[in-house]
Amino acid sequence: MNDHLPAPEPRFGIRARHTDTTLTVYQAYHPAIGVPAARTGRFPATWKRDRMTWIKPSFLWMMYRCGWGTKADQGTVLAVEISREGFLWALRNACLSHHVPELHGDQAAWKARLREVSARVQWDPERDLHLRPLAHRSLQLGLAGEATRRYADEWIVGIEEVTSLAAEVRALVRAGEIERAKELLPDERAYPVPGDVMAGLRS
């Protein structure tokens, strides 16, 4: 009998650390940007508002992307708490970053949609503590234009530097202390998104 086996993760479900009003996303920056952002709770003037910025609800995917905070220009890892309303706005104003004929029709229609929206969604394999790919996918949300401005000026509730947490988890994994490493991970749970929103964002 397999009555007590955990249910499999949905292939395109969003998992995040969240409260009734906020959820946490992760980014990694050069210390010149990351340190003042964590200190003041806002990105400094040197942060580029005219560039796309990618936010990631998965801590371990961020660790894969930034090499546990060791990659060049990604040495400061930030946990950015944002409003749920802002996150939902971004999803409602997003398009998949690649063409899916069943959703978009022809490529011209998809490219036109990309030009209209302020955000784009990409699904990449979630990662385990060894940063190996898993079967289910992790959301990456790219913000540009209006979405970038709203993110920086309206959605952010707080910014915390978690570079030391990344280093501690990495050290435990390297020492083979997997259970201790798991205990330090952020509590990422299924994040509810309206079905009509998700329907247009599954690749």
Side-chain angles (χ1 to χ4, degrees):
M1 297 291 290
N2 295 323
D3 293 345
H4 301 293
L5 289 177
E9 291 279 1
R11 182 170 172 80
F12 295 109
I14 297 175
R15 291 157 297 276
R17 175 184 169 191
H18 59 89
T19 70
D20 289 342
T21 58
T22 67
L23 83 158
T24 298
V25 296
Y26 298 93
Q27 296 191 287
Y29 288 101
H30 187 283
I33 291 176
V35 171
R39 185 176 63 247
T40 65
R42 286 290 181 268
F43 289 111
T46 51
W47 187 76
K48 304 287 188 182
R49 289 169 176 264
D50 57 349
R51 293 178 58 184
M52 178 166 284
T53 188
W54 289 85
I55 58 177
K56 306 161 184 67
S58 167
F59 177 80
L60 284 176
W61 203 94
M62 185 71 255
M63 296 306 97
Y64 165 72
R65 180 68 180 83
C66 71
W68 300 99
T70 64
K71 290 186 179 180
D73 296 328
Q74 297 186 63
T76 303
V77 185
L78 302 178
V80 185
E81 191 176 15
I82 64 174
S83 70
R84 290 174 71 138
E85 291 87 350
F87 186 69
L88 182 57
W89 185 95
L91 292 178
R92 288 193 183 279
N93 289 274
C95 180
L96 282 173
S97 61
H98 64 280
H99 176 235
V100 178
E102 295 80 5
L103 290 175
H104 308 124
D106 61 24
Q107 280 218 344
W110 165 67
K111 289 181 179 179
R113 177 63 178 159
L114 272 184
R115 290 192 293 269
E116 292 171 355
V117 299
S118 297
R120 59 187 60 185
V121 163
Q122 182 171 308
W123 297 96
D124 295 296
E126 179 60 287
R127 301 284 159 165
D128 66 11
L129 274 164
H130 297 281
L131 306 185
R132 298 173 300 204
L134 298 173
H136 57 282
R137 298 275 165 159
S138 178
L139 174 83
Q140 328 305 324
L141 187 57
L143 308 176
E146 182 180 1
T148 303
R149 295 188 294 272
R150 285 176 177 254
Y151 173 61
D153 299 332
E154 300 175 17
W155 302 345
I156 293 176
V157 175
I159 301 177
E160 176 187 6
E161 184 179 346
V162 291
T163 313
S164 60
L165 172 63
E168 187 174 2
V169 174
R170 182 192 191 205
L172 288 171
V173 172
R174 286 188 160 189
E177 299 189 49
I178 302 302
E179 292 306 314
R180 286 185 62 195
K182 285 182 180 177
E183 291 173 359
L184 295 181
L185 293 177
D187 179 22
E188 293 174 4
R189 298 169 286 121
Y191 184 80
V193 176
D196 64 312
V197 176
M198 284 296 292
L201 298 176
R202 293 188 182 98
S203 57

